[in-house]
Amino acid sequence: MTESYRPPSDILEVLQQIEYEEPLGPDDPRYVDTREARGSQRTLDRLARKLGLLLADGRMYPPRQKHVLFFGHTGSGKTTELLHYATQLEGPGRFCIVQLDITKDLDRNNLQYADTLMAMARALLHRLDVAGVDLGTDALAPLDAWFSERVLTTEAGRELRTEIKTGAAGKGGIPGLVKLFASFTAAFKANATYKDELRRVIRNSFGELAAAFNTLIQRAEDALRDTGNGSRVVFIIDGTDKLRGEDTRLFFVHDAEQLLAIETLVVYTAPLSLKYEGNLAGKLDADLMLPMIKLAERNGTPCDAGMRAVRDILLRRADRTLFATDDDIERLVQACGGHPRELLRLLKLCCEFAEDDCIDAATVDAAVRQLASEYRRFLAPDDYALLAGIDRDGIHAGNDERTRRLLYNLALLEYNDGTWRRSHPVVRTLEGYARAAEAAAETGN
Amino acid sequence: MTDDAHRFHLDRHRAATELAPEHIPDFQRLLKDLCYGSRFQLLILDCRDERLRELLIARIDEVLEGRRLRPARLRLAPDDPADVPALEAVLATLAADHDAIHITGADAWLTDPRWRALNIRREAIAERAPARLLLWLTPEQVSRLPDLAPDLWAWRSGVFAFEAAPDEPRPAPERFDAAIDNRSLAQRSRRIAELRAYLAEDPPPPDDLRLPLLDELATLYEDLGEWDKALRIRREEELPVYERLGDVRSAAITQGQIADVLQARGELDAALRIRREEALPVFERLGDVREVAITQGKIADVLQARGELDAALRIRREEALPVFERLGDVHSLLITRANIALALLQRAADGDRVEANTLLCEALADARRLRIPETETIERMLAEQGMDCDATAPMR
């Protein structure tokens, strides 16, 4: 922990600082190394190897292209971990990391490959611009030409050009293209009329665009190597795990070939439910997962590393003096099931329930009861039966729609790269679960 | 605790006293989120009863406005706004100059397709309408939300349930008769709600149950500085009953309590008149020397507050002090001595300072022996005056 950092010691300040959606950057003092706790010491190694880097000795044998999906429960810390992975993967002789968050840069409602491609191009150009890397006009020519011939001749293109007052040709070089792509991306995000027309343009001339983009990437990688900024580009695309239903299938399944036409290295965050739908395109690398923090092993033996890590996460959000006893901390740790966002949710509930500046046993009880009651609202009797069955014999229990739904809404948690599952601890406090567990014990199911 | 936090707690506990006891925990949680949580929040409120909802909205807004947070109300009609983009636009407009937006009428408006549309527009809504969105729903809608809009559900800042009051009669609250009331602000506010709910039962509870609870309720209001509410109970609910029952002593005590409230509000003349004309003669007639001495002490308080120090000193020395000495009422005695010391220090005549020092030291010795909170006050008074108890008066 950074020496000068002190977690808030006032309940209201703790409450004020809880943001579920906030990923922790590499220097954030609230970050806790959870690799041992998750059993994910090898997750970064595996990701690096998929991209062609042997972290142990720094040897690089990158493939021409690789599109890796990075799975994990909602709120399990994918973004935070990726931010840390980026610091390990980046550097001279390694990779130049280009990060983009589609939830910020694009409208994830009805996100399509076209939007993502434009955002990737903008992010790469911006990265080059910031690094002061000059590509020369011939490297940009194919993309420039595609713009001039295909986009700027459309009504939307002409309007965009007027809006930004200068096109790629007007300003020239990387800064001009950055500006143009930024306008393009903004139009995708905010302007439904332009979006449809521009998407049509991209669909109709996708081959040309992909070739132009691939040329840009290759020339960028040459220039990055020459300037000691990394030998290959890796795009880390975050927020794609937040796509839902039809949008997920469209993006990762229906339009996967278009994504794969871009010859580069890409890591996408992906929703856990997609992993079990079984219809992913073969070329997408879909076996990397961020495991949950384990509080116990599959056989029930406590996992000290997991307990320690969750405790650390908690005590970097709320000062130890706020808790009446170590037992109260322990109970919160156990109740979250090793899920960081659920831990924050419980801590927030404690702050809401606590009278005075103290989280005691009664406060923890109230928080657990409240979170459990929120699960009770949507769990059906059959859900309890399934959860009790999974807990009873530790089987994987398949991936039918009910199981996927329970995984998605966190009533069911998955550990060790998905090799075993357990119901959420607060769900196990509910009467419906107790009855189902009793029934399962009686029938031996 | 900072002054701001103290003020916040006082406001939210005061606001909660108007609610039924079962609604207080979630109401209090909600206020913490609203006032201390982030700027954008999606707060799910489960409340079927429209009257209760309106009462809650009024109380919430009162606290928000007290903290300079601007609440707004968006009443959805089945086709107004026309769709989710239109809703987004309305919310964006409201969020431009409001901090919290109550969204009501959502049950009829939120069809399944609209729920799904909302689910995928959550980031856009958070960006365009960065305010606390209070979504008032029925329990059925809340139960369907996780399936129809799972991302919206995952984003919830909290779920707060306000069920209608139970139909069966409430059990009578237990009498509170501890000598020292050290209940926390939260406990007091919950107790007020409990007492209010029970006292509002139809038919009302019998007088012998009702009167002590009314007395406690008024005292709790006084503790929270809710003078008008305390005064109304004393004047309109307690006093008429005692008068009807012919209980002159209790009526006189209630008159004294009315005078206490008036005095706290700075209405010194009115308080003095009641003590002299309504309370004191009754206690004298009844031969209740202790109540006479207490009332005399309070009359002296008013005189002292008006700067009539000699008159106040005379009453305390001649009317109050001897009675408490005779009765062996150590607590009242030490308070009277401290008050005499205060008057002496204010008057500052020859010898007053020495006498005040002696009296304060005597009071301190008794306060320490009784282990009461007044110990600290007396110690502070001595320190402020640069006095000690070593030379002037040996500690007893």
Side-chain angles (χ1 to χ4, degrees), chain A residues 33 120 134 171:
Chain A
D33 186 340
M120 285 166 76
D134 186 14
K171 194 165 181 183

Side-chain angles (χ1 to χ4, degrees), chain A residues 30-45:
Chain A
R30 293 167 300 172
Y31 176 75
V32 173
D33 186 340
T34 57
R35 279 174 295 182
E36 192 190 349
R38 293 178 191 268
S40 66
Q41 294 95 328
R42 301 221 355 99
T43 307
L44 172 60
D45 278 343

Side-chain angles (χ1 to χ4, degrees), chain B residues 172-178 183 191 195 208-213 216:
Chain B
E174 291 200 8
R175 289 270 296 271
F176 177 81
D177 47 14
R183 287 176 290 185
R191 177 69 174 173
L195 294 174
D208 57 336
L209 276 181
R210 207 168 142 249
L211 284 166
L213 299 179
E216 186 193 346

Side-chain angles (χ1 to χ4, degrees), chain A residues 21 108 348 352 354 408, chain B residues 29 32-33 123 151 155 157:
Chain A
E21 297 283 319
R108 77 175 175 90
K348 180 169 184 283
E352 290 172 3
Y408 179 66
Chain B
R29 291 200 297 121
K32 271 194 186 174
D33 276 356
E123 269 105 6
D151 298 304
W155 244 31
S157 293

